[in-house]
Amino acid sequence: MTTKAVSPKEISELRARTGAGMMDCKAALEEAGGDMDRAVDILRKKGQAKAEKRAGRSASQGLVVIASGAEGADVTMLELNCETDFVARTDEFVALARDLAMLARQEAPVGNHGGSVLDGLAFRGLTVTEVVKQVSGKTGEAMAVKRVARFQQNAGTVQSYLHHNGQVGVLIDVAGPGGDALVALARDLALHVASADPVGVSEADIPPDQVERERRIAEEQVAAEGKPENIRAKIVEGKVRKFIAERTLMSQPFVKDENRKISDLVAQAAKDLGGPVTVRRFARFKVGEA
C-alpha cells in the first residue's frame, strides 16, 4: 500500500488546528490518507492534539479528591484542573482524578507539594504527564495536576473534609492521645478550615511579607483618616494584630460556636484526653485558587 504524500502546507494547517508537533502531524496525515478531520481525530486519540497549544489557557475548573490509606494515619488530597465544569463532571475526568489520588497516596512524599511531584511516576503503563496529556487531547481542554498533600501520623490522627461538590477539600494533622475524642476534634477542625480559610495554624505560619503588606495598608488607612501622629502606631499595630487573629486557625472563632475559639476546643480536648493536643498542620485546596 502506497502512503499518500502530504504537503508542508497540510502539515502547517494541522499544526495550527491542533498545536501538535510537526512530525506527529505528518504521521497523522499519512495515516489518515490526507483527510484533515480524521488526522485531527488521530492526534486527539493519541493525546497529541492541542496539548501544547492549550498550555497558556486557564485550567481553573476541576476537582479535589481524597484517598485514605490506614484510617487516620495516611491520607492524601489531590487537585486536578481542567478548563470547564462540564469536563470536570465527566466519568473519565473523575476516574482520572481518583486514580491519581490513589497513586499519590502510595508514591507522593509526605507534605504539601505542587502537582509536578507526580509527573514522572509510572501510571497506567505510561507516566502521569503522558496520561494527563492523552486525556487532555481527548477532551480538548488544558489539564494539570495542580497540587498534592499527603499527611501521615502515628501519634494522633489525620482527618479530612471534602465538600459535596468536590470544590473544597481539607486535610488536618492533629497530634495527641488517640481516641474518638481526638478524631471528632480533628473532623470539626477540618470542617472549620474549609469554611474559615485560615492562612496557618499560628502566627508563625503567616508569611512575613503578608504581615508587612497588611501593615503598609493599615499605615495608609490611618494616614488617610487623619489620625493624630502620636496614636497612629498603636492603631496600626491593632489592625495588624486583628488581621493575624482573623487569619490564624488557633485564634479564629469556631464556625459551629462563635463564642469559642479554636484554641479553646484544642485545650478542652487535651483536658478530656489527659494529654497535650497539637494541631501540627493543615492543607486546604479550593479549585482554581492559588
Side-chain angles (χ1 to χ4, degrees):
M1 180 179 176
T2 303
T3 302
K4 179 186 182 298
V6 296
S7 69
K9 181 179 179 181
E10 289 173 312
I11 294 172
S12 295
E13 181 183 344
L14 186 58
R15 281 194 79 188
R17 285 181 62 176
T18 66
M22 184 179 295
M23 295 309 296
D24 291 332
C25 289
K26 182 175 184 293
L29 281 164
E30 289 174 347
E31 183 178 341
D35 185 321
M36 189 68 64
D37 291 337
R38 185 166 168 239
V40 170
D41 290 342
I42 289 168
L43 288 171
R44 292 190 65 186
K45 288 175 183 177
K46 292 181 178 180
Q48 296 166 339
K50 295 188 179 180
E52 302 302 327
K53 189 174 183 180
R54 288 194 307 275
R57 291 184 8 214
S58 174
S60 58
Q61 298 295 320
L63 287 174
V64 175
V65 289
I66 293 172
S68 297
E71 178 64 28
D74 189 352
V75 189
T76 298
M77 181 167 64
L78 176 143
E79 180 183 348
L80 180 65
N81 289 157
C82 58
E83 292 181 44
T84 64
D85 183 64
F86 174 78
V87 165
R89 300 299 165 188
T90 61
D91 291 343
E92 185 170 24
F93 187 88
V94 172
L96 176 63
R98 288 175 176 168
D99 288 351
L100 286 168
M102 289 300 298
L103 176 71
R105 210 271 308 159
Q106 296 168 346
E107 303 289 345
V110 173
N112 207 338
H113 308 280
S116 62
V117 72
L118 302 183
D119 283 353
L121 295 180
F123 181 58
R124 295 181 179 176
L126 299 169
T127 65
V128 169
T129 298
E130 290 167 337
V131 172
V132 171
K133 190 174 180 179
Q134 276 191 348
V135 179
S136 173
K138 290 178 183 178
T139 63
E141 291 197 2
M143 287 185 189
V145 180
K146 185 171 185 178
R147 46 193 169 178
V148 177
R150 183 183 183 188
F151 291 172
Q152 291 179 332
Q153 175 64 273
N154 58 13
T157 188
V158 176
Q159 295 297 322
S160 63
Y161 169 83
L162 184 63
H163 200 56
H164 66 87
N165 61 3
Q167 299 297 289
V168 179
V170 173
L171 294 188
I172 193 158
D173 178 355
V174 182
D180 292 343
L182 191 71
V183 170
L185 170 69
R187 288 177 177 171
D188 273 345
L189 294 181
L191 171 64
H192 174 92
V193 169
S195 176
D197 189 19
V199 173
V201 175
S202 64
E203 181 177 349
D205 299 318
I206 300 182
D209 59 341
Q210 196 168 349
V211 176
E212 283 309 305
R213 178 175 179 271
E214 290 301 315
R215 189 178 302 279
R216 288 194 301 271
I217 291 171
E219 288 171 345
E220 291 171 7
Q221 288 174 338
V222 170
E225 291 167 0
K227 300 293 185 183
E229 289 280 357
N230 63 328
I231 64 169
R232 286 186 183 181
K234 185 175 181 180
I235 295 173
V236 167
E237 189 60 28
K239 286 177 176 288
V240 171
R241 300 313 305 174
K242 183 173 183 289
F243 163 77
I244 291 171
E246 289 174 344
R247 300 314 311 276
T248 53
L249 175 62
M250 298 301 288
S251 299
Q252 289 179 331
F254 182 35
V255 292
K256 288 185 176 180
D257 181 359
E258 295 194 350
N259 292 318
R260 304 176 71 193
K261 289 186 177 181
I262 296 298
S263 57
D264 298 330
L265 266 67
V266 173
Q268 184 62 52
K271 184 177 179 181
D272 293 343
L273 290 164
V277 172
T278 304
V279 180
R280 296 180 63 212
R281 55 189 168 177
F282 66 82
R284 180 184 185 273
F285 293 174
K286 182 175 181 179
V287 170
E289 284 190 352

